[in-house]
């Protein structure tokens, strides 16, 4: 069996999602750091893996996969993780919940985007923190409202971790990093508490993968 390799960066939300999924699947892998701070992702070596110059990249089953949601779907289907409900209506709602973070909040709160906004801003004195707070807080408030459609017991969409949880927990890490107030989001915080007791989430935390 070929070696499984994850090219990631410890603070990358997208990589964090995939680490959780790999842990849920019980898959051991070799982690190769792509240093986003130094710009290693823009080099020829990494662009040969992913022309977008992004992490994560997962080498598994003779494949080289990019885009965290696509990687997670592959793991879900091939390792039977049951990250989404079978019922089409429930499945669509659970996907919308996850995508409200992965598609709507995450891209505009990518650090490269925020840094470019800082360059363009006439007043960069409170950037990029102000940018992050401006987009993360209302995005998570919407997530909190969407959670009301589900019976949390104790995860976002049921009794076991699902796709929405894999997207939410990394975003909460970023929210706290940028000092976003979460105290008024009880449903969201309840999910976070449940995930904090799950070994797959604990082992994927950025502090477990930070450089020495």
């Amino acid at each position: 069996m070929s070696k499984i390799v994850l090219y990631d960066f410890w603070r990358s939300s997208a990589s964090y999602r995939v680490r959780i999924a790999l842990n849920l699947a019980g898959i051991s892998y070799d982690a190769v750091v792509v240093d986003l701070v130094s710009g290693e992702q823009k080099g020829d070596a990494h662009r040969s893996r992913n022309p977008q110059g992004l992490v994560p990249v997962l080498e598994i089953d003779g494949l080289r996969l990019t885009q965290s949601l696509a990687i997670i779907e592959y793991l879900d289907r091939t390792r039977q993780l049951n990250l989404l409900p079978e019922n089409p209506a429930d499945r669509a709602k659970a996907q919308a919940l996850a995508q409200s973070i992965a598609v709507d909040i995450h891209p505009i709160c990518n650090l490269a985007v925020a840094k470019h906004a800082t360059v363009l801003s006439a007043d960069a004195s409170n950037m990029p923190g102000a940018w992050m707070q401006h987009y993360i807080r209302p995005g998570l408030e919407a997530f909190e409202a969407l959670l009301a459609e589900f019976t949390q017991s104790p995860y976002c969409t049921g009794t076991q971790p699902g796709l929405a949880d894999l997207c939410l927990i990394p975003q909460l890490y970023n929210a706290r990093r940028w000092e976003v107030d979460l105290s008024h989001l009880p449903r969201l915080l309840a999910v976070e508490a449940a995930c904090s007791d799950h070994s797959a989430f604990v082992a994927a935390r950025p502090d477990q993968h930070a450089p020495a």
Side-chain angles (χ1 to χ4, degrees):
M1 186 175 182
S2 60
K3 183 168 61 174
I4 298 171
V5 180
L6 177 66
Y7 297 89
D8 80 344
F9 182 69
W10 66 291
R11 271 186 166 165
S12 160
S13 295
S15 295
Y16 191 172
R17 293 175 203 143
V18 171
R19 292 196 301 264
I20 297 169
L22 288 166
N23 293 342
L24 286 171
I27 295 174
S28 298
Y29 61 91
D30 291 341
V32 176
V33 176
V34 179
D35 189 350
L36 304 187
V37 176
S38 68
E40 187 178 354
Q41 73 277 16
K42 300 175 184 177
D44 292 342
H46 189 65
R47 285 193 183 275
S48 70
R49 303 181 197 109
N50 182 0
Q52 290 182 285
L54 300 173
V55 293
V57 175
L58 181 66
E59 293 180 350
I60 187 171
D61 300 340
L63 302 170
R64 179 175 286 167
L65 303 176
T66 63
Q67 289 293 337
S68 64
L69 294 186
I71 293 170
I72 291 168
E73 182 176 5
Y74 178 81
L75 295 172
D76 188 25
R77 287 177 176 253
T78 60
R79 271 63 177 185
Q80 293 76 48
L81 300 183
N82 300 314
L83 295 177
L84 288 167
E86 288 297 326
N87 177 276
D90 293 339
R91 188 180 186 91
K93 289 182 178 180
Q95 286 177 316
L97 190 60
Q99 290 175 19
S100 73
I101 288 176
V103 176
D104 292 331
I105 302 177
H106 180 208
I108 53 176
C109 291
N110 181 287
L111 190 55
V113 173
K115 285 182 175 179
H116 187 59
T118 301
V119 172
L120 298 178
S121 176
D123 178 13
S125 60
N126 196 28
M127 295 281 279
W131 175 276
M132 298 295 197
Q133 293 169 10
H134 177 78
Y135 287 107
I136 293 175
R137 180 185 170 102
L140 290 179
E141 288 173 342
F143 189 96
E144 173 84 3
L146 288 168
L147 272 181
E149 298 184 27
F150 298 88
T151 301
Q152 293 169 245
S153 54
Y155 302 102
C156 285
T157 57
T159 59
Q160 65 181 39
L163 181 61
D165 303 287
L166 272 63
C167 292
L168 173 63
I169 297 305
Q171 188 57 65
L172 292 181
Y173 170 82
N174 280 336
R176 288 200 165 85
R177 180 184 175 194
W178 297 107
E179 300 180 345
V180 176
D181 180 19
L182 305 174
S183 61
H184 60 304
L185 305 174
R187 296 186 186 95
L188 184 153
L189 292 174
V191 171
E192 182 185 37
C195 292
S196 69
D197 288 333
H198 196 298
S199 60
F201 288 82
V202 173
R205 287 189 321 214
D207 62 291
Q208 300 293 318
H209 298 266

